[in-house]
């Protein structure tokens, strides 16, 4: 039996203590969740050395989800849910629970949960309402339902923060992977909209599409220094996370980080937060950062190499079921968008010198339609 198989078997044994609690109430502390380490939130698989990390977003609970067979065939050590894990879109908490139950009943999801460690963050649709932020009135109730479903223990730090943000440290010291998951909803101030010249967004977008142009979303940049997605308390927490030693840091964002003005919700809409994140990575000397994101209903690879401490790479994977039919602008895109159901995969080759990280977006057949290899020496601050 390989090391991979043994760690998988051990995780399945440990996770049997918590599987099934998602809809049955809050988990108690202890059991498999007792595993923790300084600088990390608790998780039963922290000792696992990660070499294959799958991720995805945007899974409509009312649709078939054949993509889980392909995900499982790739034998990930961890799966990261990046938001829109269901489409709740409600202020009725009984309806929200029912939609989580639909996801829980999917055979492929059940297999994933039974065999693979999972971490999750939300985006707008599983938070509660389309494009919503701090003004969503049911956010406390929604947080409780989210954390119960994803099997957070009763004493999890995520239950006492002003949001569901979390950070995990996986693997031994010489193969440490940090997964940072910010919450871009709970504290988010209102977003700005473009001037569409008096037209509805549908009319405006159709005119651009008819003219053969890319079609941005309806939102605009916010230069206001008071505008934020994270809020000050979460920013202080994030600063602390970038002080924690790790070889690879996966910044798992529900919204795109590096895309240059797609017009939809993204970090670039909040200009000060966007610049503050780059400056924080530079100031902390945090190397090995890889960005992953969801939300868009298409997959793409983005590279930012201007005014950054080293070239930044981001793989967006969306959706597990959802597809956006038109081209969206992104000046930092490398290659083409993939507008089919897809999931992301990060492969870490710890044996190579220097250590190499390969980013892939795979389709339903398991074919890598987007692929990029980078080495950790390329992800270190330039002098």
């Amino acid at each position: 039996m390989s090391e991979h198989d043994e760690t998988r078997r051990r995780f399945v044994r440990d996770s049997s203590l918590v599987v099934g609690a998602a809809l049955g109430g809050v988990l108690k502390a202890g059991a498999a969740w007792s595993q923790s380490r300084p600088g990390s939130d608790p998780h039963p698989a922290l000792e696992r050395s990660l070499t294959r990390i799958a991720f995805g977003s945007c899974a409509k609970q009312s649709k078939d989800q054949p993509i889980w067979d392909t995900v499982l065939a790739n034998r990930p050590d961890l799966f990261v849910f990046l938001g829109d894990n269901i489409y709740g879109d409600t202020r009725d908490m009984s309806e929200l629970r029912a939609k989580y139950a639909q996801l829980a009943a999917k055979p492929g999801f059940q297999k994933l949960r039974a065999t693979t460690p999972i971490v999750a963050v939300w985006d707008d649709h599983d938070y509660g309402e389309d494009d919503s932020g701090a003004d969503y009135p049911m956010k406390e109730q929604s947080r409780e339902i989210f954390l119960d479903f994803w099997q957070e223990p009763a004493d999890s730090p995520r239950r006492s923060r002003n949001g569901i943000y979390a950070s995990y440290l996986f693997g031994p010291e010489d193969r440490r992977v940090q997964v940072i998951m910010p919450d871009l909803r709970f504290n988010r101030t209102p977003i700005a909209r473009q001037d569409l010249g008096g037209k509805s967004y549908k009319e405006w977008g159709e005119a651009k599409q008819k003219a053969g142009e890319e079609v941005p979303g309806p939102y605009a940049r916010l230069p206001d220094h008071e505008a934020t997605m994270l809020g000050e308390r979460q920013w202080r927490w994030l600063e602390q996370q970038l002080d924690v030693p790790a070889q690879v840091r996966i910044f798992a964002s529900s919204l795109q980080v590096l895309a240059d003005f797609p017009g939809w919700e993204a970090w670039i809409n909040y200009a000060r937060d966007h610049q503050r994140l780059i400056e924080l990575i530079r100031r902390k000397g945090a190397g090995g950062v890889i960005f992953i994101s969801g939300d868009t209903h298409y997959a793409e690879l983005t590279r930012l190499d201007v005014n950054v401490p080293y070239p930044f790479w981001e793989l967006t994977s969306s959706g597990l079921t959802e597809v956006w039919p038109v081209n969206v602008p992104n000046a930092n895109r490398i290659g083409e968008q993939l507008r089919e159901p897809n999931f992301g995969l990060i492969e870490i080759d710890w044996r190579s010198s220097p250590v190499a990280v390969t980013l892939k977006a795979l389709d339903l057949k398991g074919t890598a339609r987007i692929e990029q290899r980078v080495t950790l020496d390329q992800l270190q601050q330039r002098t």
Side-chain angles (χ1 to χ4, degrees):
M1 178 180 288
S2 68
E3 177 186 0
H4 180 96
D5 289 335
E6 171 59 23
T7 54
R8 176 180 288 265
R9 183 190 63 77
R10 186 165 56 248
F11 174 77
V12 172
R13 179 198 65 204
D14 293 342
S15 65
S16 66
L17 297 171
V18 296
V19 168
L23 300 174
V26 179
L27 296 173
K28 293 183 171 58
W33 281 94
S34 64
Q35 297 185 44
S36 188
R37 57 174 43 142
S40 176
D41 285 322
H43 193 280
L46 295 181
E47 299 304 318
R48 170 172 281 207
S49 180
L50 302 183
T51 60
R52 299 169 69 80
I53 303 161
F55 61 94
S57 62
C58 306
K60 197 72 173 283
Q61 70 282 348
S62 59
K63 293 184 178 180
D64 291 338
Q65 298 181 357
I67 201 163
W68 296 124
D69 290 337
T70 313
V71 170
L72 290 163
N74 280 271
R75 300 171 61 80
D77 301 303
L78 179 72
F79 192 92
V80 181
F81 280 88
L82 288 170
D84 295 343
N85 309 307
I86 62 164
Y87 282 70
D89 299 307
T90 183
R91 297 186 180 187
D92 181 342
M93 295 298 98
S94 62
E95 181 180 353
L96 188 64
R97 289 188 183 91
K99 289 180 176 179
Y100 275 114
Q102 283 184 273
L103 174 61
K106 298 293 183 186
F109 178 80
Q110 290 177 349
K111 292 177 184 177
L112 179 78
R113 174 168 265 179
T115 61
T116 307
I118 290 171
V119 293
V121 72
W122 59 24
D123 199 35
D124 54 340
H125 293 290
D126 42 350
Y127 176 59
E129 289 181 341
D130 187 29
D131 297 349
S132 54
D135 57 344
Y136 175 59
M138 308 303 294
K139 63 183 184 180
E140 291 287 359
Q141 297 91 329
S142 179
R143 174 169 68 170
E144 181 179 351
I145 293 169
F146 176 95
L147 295 176
D148 287 353
F149 179 81
W150 295 108
Q151 304 179 343
E152 289 284 340
D155 60 352
S156 168
R158 300 180 86 182
R159 294 186 182 273
S160 59
R161 292 174 181 148
N162 64 331
I164 61 163
Y165 48 92
S167 181
Y168 304 96
L169 285 174
F170 293 96
E173 288 187 10
D174 61 341
R175 294 187 175 190
R176 187 137 295 172
V177 176
Q178 182 183 41
V179 180
I180 300 173
M181 309 179 74
D183 182 336
L184 307 184
R185 296 292 165 185
F186 203 87
N187 303 295
R188 198 205 73 182
T189 56
I191 196 166
R193 289 184 174 269
Q194 294 193 59
D195 181 359
L196 304 181
K199 295 181 180 179
S200 70
Y201 176 72
K202 182 179 180 181
E203 292 171 329
W204 182 80
E206 286 176 349
K208 282 189 166 293
Q209 189 175 7
K210 187 175 181 179
E213 301 176 16
E214 292 181 319
V215 183
Y219 298 121
R221 288 180 176 90
L222 268 166
D224 181 3
H225 277 202
E226 299 304 315
T228 183
M229 292 190 296
L230 273 63
E232 284 304 313
R233 182 175 164 188
Q234 187 175 180
W235 271 113
R236 291 194 298 271
W237 168 86
L238 182 56
E239 288 206 20
Q240 294 171 354
Q241 304 317 305
L242 293 182
D243 285 328
V244 176
Q247 282 72 43
V248 177
R249 302 179 194 272
I250 298 173
F251 192 86
S253 172
S254 64
L255 299 176
Q256 288 188 300
V257 183
L258 307 181
D260 180 56
F261 196 56
W264 296 101
E265 292 182 298
W267 277 76
I268 197 66
N269 297 97
Y270 288 78
R272 188 164 186 258
D273 271 8
H274 188 259
Q275 291 302 305
R276 187 173 179 177
L277 177 63
I278 293 171
E279 179 56 29
L280 178 60
I281 294 171
R282 177 186 287 113
R283 178 163 54 85
K284 293 291 185 177
V289 176
I290 295 285
F291 298 92
I292 61 174
S293 58
D295 174 63
T296 58
H297 297 188
Y298 53 82
E300 67 179 3
L301 183 70
T302 302
R303 183 175 188 263
L304 183 62
D305 60 1
V306 176
N307 295 327
V308 288
Y310 50 87
F312 285 171
W313 291 92
E314 176 179 6
L315 181 59
T316 301
S317 177
S318 175
L320 294 164
T321 65
E322 304 306 285
V323 177
W324 189 246
V326 299
N327 287 321
V328 176
N330 176 10
N332 297 325
R333 182 187 304 126
I334 303 296
E336 302 295 325
Q337 295 172 332
L338 172 60
R339 297 199 301 275
E340 301 175 21
N342 66 85
F343 69 97
L345 186 66
I346 302 170
E347 296 179 331
I348 306 174
D349 186 352
W350 295 106
R351 293 186 175 89
S352 70
S353 183
V355 173
V357 179
T358 302
L359 308 176
K360 298 179 180 181
L362 284 71
D363 62 20
L364 277 172
K365 295 180 180 179
T367 302
R369 304 284 293 279
I370 296 172
E371 185 168 349
Q372 179 67 46
R373 183 179 185 272
V374 295
T375 56
L376 287 192
D377 64 334
Q378 297 170 326
L379 303 178
Q380 305 300 323
Q381 190 150 318
R382 296 175 287 207
T383 57

